[in-house]
Amino acid sequence: MAGAAAVGSVQPRHSAQLTVERASKRFGGVRAVEDVSISVAQGQIASIIGPNGAGKTSLLNMISGFYTPDTGMIGFEGHDITHKRPAEIAALGIARTFQNIALFAGMTVLDNIMLGRHVHMRSGVLSSLAYWGLAQREEVAHRARCEELIEFLELEDLRKQQVSGLAYGLRKRVELGRALALDPKLLLLDEPMGGMNQEEKEDMARYILDVNQHWGTTIILIEHDMTVVMDISQQVNVFDRGRKIAEGSPAEVQSNPAVIDAYLGAGHAAPAAGEQAA
């Protein structure tokens, strides 16, 4: 509605697709996230970096609805999603992968990716019985989309194979495919290259760039490999001990004294491309 925001919505700021405003989360006496604000524009690739335990995954958990902030607000495309459930947030177009692979090991590559289409399914069990033709057409359409993603991720020869038998890097690729099956507007990637060798990392970086460029998907990723961060990010947010201590372009962040201190201690250089964060 022009001129006024609907009740329960939040107005976009600086054309931001996602805004996190002064979000905090504690677990008992542990401060996981403290008064953090970030803003990510549509179509941007933004990285979150920082030492282990800095609050990076906790922030992604709040954005995706797995955690509810103790204080603060999270907005996505004009919607206040601070207290929404994960399924509601997924339905708005936010998908994510996890630091620890969360696939169904006994299912095939195709079936795992098909699970990512659940938010788009219209025909339930009863309607499937009453309108078999409608349900069948829907199934065909969703399967076709998953086959496109399998081809995109170069998994054609493995589509019928159980994921339990796949190498680690391939399982990471299947998890990306399941997230992409939601056709997300915003994709949250938690260490998508963790545990990969150099060739696998290069492949994953290429897929992330292609997703962003071909489909215009906004991407927020947590990553420890500074080469990846500096090569593919337009914005870098640096966390330390639950707080955001710096934000800017890769070049700006690399030369920020607060970042240098958080990573290596005062008097040292920031992590260079090719080096890993702690």
Side-chain angles (χ1 to χ4, degrees):
M1 184 166 58
V7 175
S9 68
V10 2
Q11 289 287 11
R13 184 179 61 187
H14 304 306
S15 70
Q17 186 179 38
L18 176 81
T19 56
V20 178
E21 297 184 0
R22 307 196 68 175
S24 297
K25 185 67 180 178
R26 288 176 176 263
F27 299 95
V30 178
R31 180 185 66 190
V33 177
E34 184 76 13
D35 201 34
V36 165
S37 297
I38 68 170
S39 177
V40 181
Q42 183 172 357
Q44 196 170 43
I45 298 179
S47 290
I48 302 174
I49 65 172
N52 290 329
K56 306 181 296 293
T57 295
S58 293
L59 179 65
L60 256 59
N61 285 339
M62 289 192 285
I63 295 171
S64 54
F66 290 96
Y67 294 165
T68 300
D70 297 327
T71 60
M73 188 277 295
I74 302 173
F76 177 69
E77 294 192 337
H79 300 277
D80 185 342
I81 64 171
T82 312
H83 300 285
K84 289 188 179 294
R85 298 188 300 273
E88 295 174 309
I89 291 173
L92 289 174
I94 298 179
R96 71 167 295 180
T97 65
F98 294 86
Q99 184 175 350
N100 298 315
I101 298 173
L103 296 170
F104 290 92
M107 297 175 65
T108 67
V109 168
L110 175 59
D111 288 339
N112 267 279
I113 293 176
M114 279 286 288
L115 287 174
R117 299 295 296 172
H118 71 280
V119 298
H120 299 296
M121 298 290 186
R122 296 290 178 262
S123 53
V125 175
L126 292 178
S127 60
S128 295
L129 292 173
Y131 304 103
W132 169 247
L134 174 63
Q136 191 174 42
R137 286 193 299 273
E138 184 184 51
E139 172 78 11
V140 169
H142 288 308
R143 187 184 178 102
R145 175 57 179 151
C146 291
E147 294 286 2
E148 289 176 10
L149 292 171
I150 285 172
E151 182 178 359
F152 169 76
L153 294 168
E154 300 172 291
L155 293 167
E156 300 99 312
D157 294 340
L158 304 172
R159 53 193 296 283
K160 290 293 187 179
Q161 186 167 328
Q162 289 189 352
V163 297
S164 59
L166 298 181
Y168 181 82
L170 291 171
R171 282 184 280 143
K172 280 275 196 177
R173 207 183 297 179
V174 174
E175 188 173 41
L176 174 61
R178 187 175 63 183
L180 292 174
L182 191 135
D183 291 335
K185 302 174 184 177
L186 170 62
L187 181 60
L188 308 175
L189 303 176
D190 194 350
E191 298 193 27
M193 296 154 204
M196 290 184 171
N197 61 38
Q198 189 57 39
E199 183 179 355
E200 291 169 335
K201 287 181 180 181
E202 291 173 0
D203 287 341
M204 182 62 74
R206 173 168 54 87
Y207 294 130
I208 291 170
L209 285 169
D210 285 347
V211 168
N212 174 255
Q213 293 168 3
H214 293 172
W215 295 318
T217 308
T218 308
I219 295 170
I220 300 176
L221 72 149
I222 294 171
E223 185 51 54
H224 284 296
D225 189 311
M226 290 298 102
T227 299
V228 173
V229 169
M230 299 304 162
D231 282 352
I232 73 175
S233 306
Q234 287 113 30
Q235 177 196 115
V236 181
N237 298 273
V238 187
F239 282 28
D240 186 37
R241 300 177 186 176
R243 289 182 173 272
K244 187 181 81 172
I245 61 170
E247 173 187 353
S249 69
E252 290 169 339
V253 163
Q254 270 193 307
S255 60
N256 188 303
V259 178
I260 296 169
D261 186 52
Y263 272 98
L264 298 172
H268 294 78
E275 294 182 359
Q276 299 249 345

